[in-house]
Amino acid sequence: MKRQLTGLQRALAAFAGGFALLALIFEFASTEGAPLPVWEFPLAGTFLVLGVLAIGRIWFQLPLFIDGALSVLGAVALLLALDTLQMAGPGYWFALVSTWMFAWLFVEQLAASIRAGRTSPTLGMLIPVVFGLSLLLIWEIIVRAASVPMVLLPPPSMIWTRILTSLPTLTADFLQTFKAVLAGFALGCGSGFIVAILVDRSPFLKRGLLPIGNFVSALPIIGIAPIMVMWFGFDWPSKAAVVVAMTFFPMLVNTVAGLNASSSIERDLMRTYAASYWETLLKLRLPAAAPFIFNALKINSTLALIGAIVAEFFGTPIVGMGFRISTEVGKLNIDLVWAEIAVAAVAGSAFYGVIALIERAVTFWHPSVRGGRT
Amino acid sequence: MRGLFAGKTVPVLIVLLAIVLFWYVMAVVMNAPWQETLNGRANLTDVPLLEFAQQTWAQDKPVLPAPHQVAGGIWTGLFGSAITAPRSLAYHAGITLGATMLGFALGTLLGIGLAVMIVHNDASDRSLMPWIIASQTIPILAIAPMVVVGLGAVGVTGIVPKALISMYLSFFPVVVGMVKGLRTPEAIQLDLMRTYNASAWQVFAKLRWPTSVPFLFASMKVGIAISLIGAVVGELSNSAGGGLGVRLLTGSYNGQTIQIWAALFIAAGLAAMLVILVGWGEKLANRRMGVRA
């Protein structure tokens, strides 16, 4: 049975092969004004010839992993070529576009084949990975081959070496900032939760506080950072205070909304069991509120990191991620700044991921968790 | 009496009143040490409590300014000088508003574009969605100074770097909301479109887009509030450009607490105004689309 390609896939295949052909025709690169033809780079040459041959899919069928392998080959060839060439010619850029097209074609076919049930869904994990790697590759190659000024954007490889060489600084900064994040997150979310349960008993307070809480969570609370630094000093407590203020209201609003999530028929059932207020709260209303509470925790996990780092712009002891970012920007040590950002990104994603994992374990009954793909 | 307490207005007003009272008390408590030092220097002893409280509410650089001082700061900031003068808070609010609106517009467009791609193409759904979520766990506000300085080094200054930060923050709620909204049509409705032999474009314009409008407005309300935050934080790194963020920063360097609080409240008022404006737009759109209020 011949597998039919969709219009988009055919277009991608044609472009991928076409750009490989163009790359073979045009000047590939040059060094000190002397042109460097493509056969000086055997790997790149192999990739381009194979890429052109892949146009043959019009007559015979190609397994989709051939496209994946081709894009990997292209990526490796282009990266290796970077070491020897000085000026990238039009051929080099055509080869980059061709590599990118092959990666896209691979992903496109993989998605279609998973949807049709020909490939196991676990391979779907590859798709975001391929996308991320392509972004990194394009970033690295464009920055290095077009000699983008380092101030604007350093290549990922340089950021990576910087992370490895300045591990002690990064660790010290991370610990200082994360102290404030954790303390503020625990205090802010905890107090928001407790106030929500107290407010919940009084309909009057609920009507009075909720609109204000909703309003305040839309405000630029981050602006209180300078005030908190004045009140609590330069060290981490002032940052924790900013985090408390930022995380309190989302938690309050979401928990109150969550406590109203159980339906009246379920509450009536609890009443027929003669359940006390606390039993109803613990066994019915809090579990029903869990999705809302976790939503607030997830929002707060990013807010907490932002709050702590930005608060450090307003004054810190000489350690901390926000401090490092703002001072090294001034010294134009952009690679160290990007290293801090990478650490912050990994920490932020891990923080979010841990909360998401706990959520899956706690709210296993919720349709969004049971439904398979999230 | 009962009827009054059943609505929202009276409880909100009472809570607000309680907050203001609490604020006045806290102003006395927090400003007391410095006032005692001042009175000690002036050889004032045994000041009556009420007079002492009034002194703490009238300090020049209080730890916590009293509400009427903040209100005075806002008043002189807005109306005390010509609107183009750099002392005028209205001038700085205007700068921030411009960056916010540009960033919000760009972010909304980007968000809608990405959502359309995600809904219509399986591969972009699988490759983009995880990265879009991951992009928001990066504390972008922390990168703000670098974006501003980096773009400044290649000659892009003024409103654009701030707007880019706002855009990065505000596209996320729009993507998430619009993906949900564009997927709202049920299978039976999509099947009906198929029986009409509708093209993909017609399904989008006549079914998916109208069903997603409520989601769009809900996301825009979140997006415009955070794009204001992005603009304010972006201004922290470019003190020459002006804006509410700059007022916050200079206020914190000079210990001008009243100036900080006034700038903060103006930013809050701006955020509230923008959210209300989006709400009006929502009502208008709902009425034109025949949704019953």
Side-chain angles (χ1 to χ4, degrees), chain B residues 120 198-207:
Chain B
H120 285 97
S199 66
W201 167 249
Q202 283 169 325
V203 173
F204 175 76
K206 309 224 152 137
L207 177 62

Side-chain angles (χ1 to χ4, degrees), chain A residues 208-237:
Chain A
L209 260 182
L210 266 196
I212 296 179
N214 268 322
F215 173 68
V216 174
S217 27
L219 297 185
I221 300 187
I222 196 100
I224 66 164
I227 298 166
M228 291 298 158
V229 172
M230 264 180 218
W231 286 2
F232 295 102
F234 277 170
D235 211 353
W236 64 270

Side-chain angles (χ1 to χ4, degrees), chain A residues 257-298:
Chain A
L259 287 175
N260 290 330
S262 57
S263 63
S264 52
I265 197 165
E266 290 160 340
R267 264 176 272 178
D268 284 348
L269 180 66
M270 291 306 275
R271 203 165 306 137
T272 62
Y273 291 159
S276 69
Y277 168 80
W278 287 107
E279 278 170 333
T280 316
L281 185 69
L282 282 179
K283 302 202 165 145
L284 169 65
R285 300 178 66 208
L286 276 184
F292 291 83
I293 295 172
F294 275 105
N295 187 25
L297 286 176
K298 280 187 194 161

Side-chain angles (χ1 to χ4, degrees), chain A residues 47 71 95-105 131 134 137-138:
Chain A
F47 160 67
S71 61
L96 179 61
V97 175
S98 172
T99 309
W100 174 50
M101 291 274 170
F102 273 116
W104 188 357
L105 181 59
F131 183 77
S134 322
L137 177 82
I138 292 174

Side-chain angles (χ1 to χ4, degrees), chain B residues 180-252:
Chain B
K180 209 170 188 176
L182 291 171
R183 283 198 177 135
T184 314
E186 288 168 31
I188 193 164
Q189 294 167 319
L190 291 168
D191 283 347
L192 180 66
M193 292 305 273
R194 200 166 304 137
T195 63
Y196 291 159
N197 195 20
S199 66
W201 167 249
Q202 283 169 325
V203 173
F204 175 76
K206 309 224 152 137
L207 177 62
R208 288 190 192 274
W209 178 256
T211 52
S212 69
V213 166
F215 290 87
L216 177 63
F217 277 104
S219 318
M220 271 164 49
K221 279 185 198 163
V222 181
I224 199 154
I226 52 178
S227 80
L228 180 73
I229 299 178
V232 169
V233 174
E235 283 159 358
L236 292 181
S237 333
N238 180 15
S239 43
L244 290 174
V246 174
R247 295 298 280 177
L248 282 180
L249 198 67
T250 52
S252 88

